[in-house]
Amino acid sequence: MAMALPETAPGRIIVGMGTCGLAAGAGEVWNAVARETAKLGLATELSRTGCIGMCEHEVLLDVVMPGAPRVTYGHVTPEMVERILAEHVVGGVPVGEWVVGTIRGDAELYPELPFFSRQRRIVLRNCGLIDPERLEDYLGRGGYTALAKALSMPPERVIDEVKLSGLRGRGGAGFATGLKWGFARAAEGTKKYLICNADEGDPGAFMDRSVLEGDPHSVLEGMAIAAHAIGSDEGYIYVRAEYPLAVRRLRTAIAQAEAKGYLGKDIMGRNLSFHIHLKEGAGAFVCGEETALIASIEGERGMPRSRPPFPANKGLWGCPTNNNNVETYANVPWIINQGGAAFAAFGTEKSKGSKVFALTGKVANTGLVEVEMGTSLREIIFDLGGGIVEGKKFKAVQIGGPSGGCLPASLLDTPVDYESLVAAGAMMGSGGMVVLDEDTCMVDFAKFFADFLQKESCGKCVPCREGTVRMWETLERITSGKGEEADLELMEHLAVVMRGASLCALGQTAPNPVLSTMRYFADEYRAHVVEKRCPADVCTQLRFYRVIADKCPGCTKCLKVCPADAITGRAKVIHKIDPLKCTRCGECEAVC
C-alpha cells in the first residue's frame, strides 16, 4: 500500500539511507533537503528508508504527494535538490529526466522497470518502503500480527506450518527449517537458545546487511515466533562489527520492540518471555559456521567443533540451540500470516519460496533482487540485471560465495535451486552472485578465492589448514608462468582430500571455485600451463612486451615512462626492451 501522508504536510520526501545510499552521498542529499525545505518554509516531512535494491541508481530520493504515485529520483546530488523541490513539491510536476520510476502500492512496485517485473518480494517486502527506525511504519504494514497469530497457536502447530512451507535455511546448507525447529523443541533441557547468524562474510554479498538496515523488525518478529516454537527465552544476533549501521538499527529496533511488549517479558500479555542480545563479530569468515559462531559467542576462539552432538541437542553453553540466518527468519512472519501452503506454491518441488541475491560484478543493474526459486540464471542476469556492462560478452557467474562455483554461458539456463546448482558444480550459498565478463581470467579469479579461503581458515584441521595453502600456492605458480601439467592433477587430488577430511564446510567446499573453473574453463588452464600465456591478458607474469621494429618511430615516450629502465634507445632510433628487466607493468604499451 502507498505510504499515507500527514494531512497538514505538503508531501513527503524520503531519502535512501542504507549503506549503499550513504556511500553514494545520501547524507549530503539529506542535509540539502533539510536546508532547502527550511529556506522555502515548507512543512514537508523528511524521512529515511533502507535499500530498495537499486544500488546502481543511488542516491535515491522519493517524493510522495497527496493523491499521486510515489516518484523515485536516481543518482541524486545535493545540487539537484533545489529543482526537485521547486518543480515537484511546490509546482506539482516531476522532473522527468531524473525520474527512475514510480511506486503505486505493493502490487505496482516500479511496474515500468524490468528490474522489478520478475521479482517475488517476500523477504524484501518492506525494504525501501518503510523507515527502519520507526516501529510505527512496520506496524502500519502488518508488523507483529504474525507474532500475535503464532502465540495463539500451539508451538507444534507453528512448526508444522513452517514444515508445510518447505522453507529451507537460506544461509547456504539449505536444511529444512521446520525440521530443525522440531529437533530443538524435542531436545531435552529447560534452557534453550535461539541464534540469528548475521555473520555475512562472502565477498560481493550484502543481502543480510540490507535486510537488517531496511527492515530489522521482520527479523526480530521471526525470531520471536521461533522462540515460541522451540521454547526459548533468550536469543543472540551474531552480527559483523563491520556493519555499524545494521548494528545501530538493530539496537533501536530491539529497544522499540521491548518498549511496546513485542520482546522481553510476557510478550503481548502471553506466557512468553524472549530477550535478544547482540554479539558483534570481528569478521572471521569461519564464524559463519554455526559451531564456530557458538564458540565465538561463548568468548572462545571461533573454531568449528566436531558433530555430533549437533547444536539442536548441545549448542550454546551446552544447551539445545537453534541457529538460522537473517533471511530465514525474515521469511517466517510472511509464512505465518499467509500460510505455509502459500509459500510452498512458489518455487520448485524441493526448493520452495523465493531467494534474495546480491548482483555484483560486470552486470548493468547491480543491487538486490528477490526471485522465485527455479528462476534461471539467464533471467536473473539479463532480464533483471540488464546484461553485461559496455556490451561485452558474458563469461561466467560465480554463485555461492568463496566456496561456490563458477558457471559458464552454456549453463545460463540452469534453474536457481539447491539441487540444480550443486549438480552444476556450484551451490546456493547465502546469495552472492558475481557476474564476470570476457576480460576475466578464470585462473586468476580462482586464485583470488583460494587466497581468501587460506587466510580465513581457522587452522584447526590439517586438510583445510594445509590444503587451502597448497591450493593457493599451486595457482600462484600457474599464473606466474611456472605451472606444470602435474599441478592440475595435484589440485584435483587436494580437492578429494579436503572434501572428505575437513572438519567443517569451509574446508569441504574450499575446492569448489578451483574445480568448477578447471571443469568449465580447462582451455584457460592449459593456456597458462602449456602455452605460458593468459588468454585474458590479466596475469602480468605471462605478458611479454617487444618493440615492433617497422612501427617504432623512436619517439622515446615508452623509454621515459618505464619504471624499470628496461627500454633502451634514443630519438628516431628503434627501441629495445630487456625481458630480464621488464616488470610487465604495461606503462610502455599505454603511451605507445
Side-chain angles (χ1 to χ4, degrees):
M1 62 183 180
M3 300 191 70
L5 286 169
E7 294 182 357
T8 58
R12 172 182 292 171
I13 297 176
I14 307 164
V15 181
M17 301 282 277
T19 291
C20 51
L22 290 168
E28 291 79 5
V29 171
W30 174 281
N31 293 334
V33 173
R35 285 195 306 269
E36 290 299 322
T37 52
K39 183 191 301 183
L40 296 171
L42 297 175
T44 307
E45 182 181 354
L46 176 59
S47 63
R48 69 181 61 79
T49 191
C51 174
I52 201 166
M54 295 190 293
C55 304
E56 180 68 25
H57 295 280
E58 293 287 359
V59 176
L60 295 171
L61 181 149
D62 293 0
V63 174
V64 189
M65 300 300 291
R70 176 170 168 170
V71 178
T72 299
Y73 294 95
H75 301 292
V76 178
T77 64
E79 292 74 24
M80 297 164 62
V81 169
E82 182 178 2
R83 184 181 172 192
I84 292 173
L85 291 178
E87 297 186 17
H88 192 168
V89 178
V90 177
V93 180
V95 185
E97 64 264 38
W98 295 342
V99 173
V100 173
T102 57
I103 301 176
R104 298 175 182 271
D106 287 347
E108 295 182 279
L109 190 65
Y110 304 113
E112 65 271 43
L113 298 181
F115 185 74
F116 286 91
S117 63
R118 300 297 302 273
Q119 292 198 42
R120 177 78 68 181
R121 291 170 71 90
I122 295 176
V123 170
L124 302 181
R125 59 192 177 274
N126 296 324
C127 290
L129 298 176
I130 66 171
D131 184 336
E133 298 186 25
R134 281 172 48 90
L135 174 59
E136 295 79 6
D137 279 17
Y138 184 67
L139 296 177
R141 291 176 64 84
Y144 290 106
T145 57
L147 177 58
K149 182 178 179 181
L151 292 178
S152 69
M153 302 162 58
E156 293 80 8
R157 187 180 162 199
V158 173
I159 293 174
D160 287 342
E161 202 66 38
V162 175
K163 287 181 178 177
L164 178 63
S165 74
L167 175 66
R168 295 170 66 171
R170 298 304 197 238
F175 193 80
T177 304
L179 197 61
K180 197 172 190 179
W181 289 14
F183 291 153
R185 177 157 189 85
E188 296 182 0
T190 56
K191 180 69 175 181
K192 297 180 181 180
Y193 288 98
L194 197 72
I195 293 176
C196 174
N197 182 353
D199 189 58
E200 186 175 50
D202 296 2
F206 48 93
M207 301 78 58
D208 291 353
R209 187 200 73 204
S210 295
V211 173
L212 294 175
E213 291 177 357
D215 189 18
H217 282 285
S218 68
V219 180
L220 302 184
E221 185 175 12
M223 292 181 68
I225 292 169
H228 168 61
I230 73 167
S232 171
D233 66 352
E234 194 171 0
Y236 284 83
I237 299 178
Y238 189 91
V239 61
R240 323 203 104 217
E242 293 100 325
Y243 287 176
L245 183 60
V247 171
R248 180 169 66 80
R249 288 183 177 166
L250 274 172
R251 292 193 190 282
T252 298
I254 291 171
Q256 291 171 342
E258 288 177 342
K260 292 295 184 179
Y262 300 121
L263 290 177
K265 291 184 178 181
D266 301 321
I267 294 174
M268 291 184 170
R270 305 296 181 90
N271 187 27
L272 173 66
S273 294
F274 183 57
H275 300 270
I276 294 180
H277 312 283
L278 288 187
K279 169 67 176 179
E280 295 183 44
F285 180 69
V286 73
C287 285
E289 196 278 334
E290 62 179 354
T291 61
L293 184 154
I294 287 171
S296 182
I297 293 177
E298 293 174 340
E300 299 178 10
R301 181 179 177 184
M303 302 177 79
R305 300 171 181 172
S306 299
R307 294 178 294 180
F310 291 93
N313 293 309
K314 188 177 181 181
L316 189 59
W317 288 298
C319 299
T321 302
N322 181 81
N323 180 27
N324 291 117
N325 83 325
V326 169
E327 187 179 341
T328 308
Y329 285 122
N331 273 297
V332 171
W334 193 96
I335 290 171
I336 297 300
N337 270 332
Q338 306 299 324
F343 189 85
F346 305 135
T348 66
E349 181 182 356
K350 295 182 179 180
S351 299
K352 304 295 186 182
S354 61
K355 180 73 186 77
V356 181
F357 291 98
L359 271 176
T360 60
K362 301 297 185 178
V363 67
N365 299 327
T366 55
L368 282 182
V369 298
E370 184 174 3
V371 297
E372 191 169 336
M373 286 282 197
T375 303
S376 72
L377 289 169
R378 186 184 303 277
E379 291 174 280
I380 296 172
I381 295 168
F382 288 91
D383 294 346
L384 280 73
I388 311 305
V389 293
E390 300 179 0
K392 295 193 175 183
K393 293 181 181 179
F394 169 87
K395 189 169 191 178
V397 57
Q398 194 262 3
I399 183 170
S403 300
C406 298
L407 304 184
S410 60
L411 294 180
L412 274 171
D413 293 315
T414 301
V416 175
D417 61 64
Y418 291 97
E419 286 71 29
S420 297
L421 290 177
V422 169
M427 59 187 288
M428 183 75 71
S430 58
M433 196 175 284
V434 183
V435 179
L436 312 175
D437 69 8
E438 58 190 288
D439 294 335
T440 305
C441 170
M442 300 309 298
V443 184
D444 181 70
F445 190 75
K447 185 179 74 171
F448 169 83
F449 284 103
D451 183 43
F452 176 87
L453 290 167
Q454 62 106 1
K455 290 175 179 175
E456 293 294 338
S457 173
C458 75
K460 184 174 183 177
C461 70
V462 174
C464 178
R465 182 182 71 228
E466 298 299 321
T468 52
V469 174
R470 300 290 89 77
M471 191 80 77
W472 175 81
E473 288 176 345
T474 306
L475 289 167
E476 175 68 13
R477 283 200 304 274
I478 292 174
T479 56
S480 298
K482 302 173 184 176
E484 301 175 358
E485 290 194 63
D487 288 330
L488 304 180
E489 296 179 7
L490 172 63
M491 288 194 293
E492 290 182 347
H493 175 69
L494 277 172
V496 172
V497 175
M498 291 171 67
R499 282 179 164 179
S502 294
L503 180 61
C504 79
L506 190 154
Q508 293 163 9
T509 60
N512 286 350
V514 178
L515 291 181
S516 62
T517 52
M518 288 177 65
R519 174 180 176 183
Y520 297 118
F521 302 95
D523 56 331
E524 287 200 33
Y525 277 88
R526 289 196 62 81
H528 282 72
V529 171
V530 178
E531 302 171 27
K532 305 302 181 185
R533 68 180 182 89
C534 174
D537 196 31
V538 170
C539 302
T540 58
Q541 295 302 308
L542 294 178
R543 289 178 183 167
F544 295 95
Y545 292 95
R546 65 184 179 85
V547 176
I548 302 175
D550 59 352
K551 293 185 178 181
C552 178
C555 67
T556 73
K557 287 182 179 179
C558 61
L559 186 150
K560 292 176 181 177
V561 300
C562 179
D565 294 326
I567 302 176
T568 56
R570 61 181 186 274
K572 298 183 181 181
V573 175
I574 296 172
H575 296 1
K576 295 181 179 179
I577 300 176
D578 184 344
L580 298 179
K581 289 185 178 181
C582 178
T583 60
R584 301 168 179 84
C585 66
E587 290 294 322
C588 56
E589 183 183 23
V591 300
C592 182

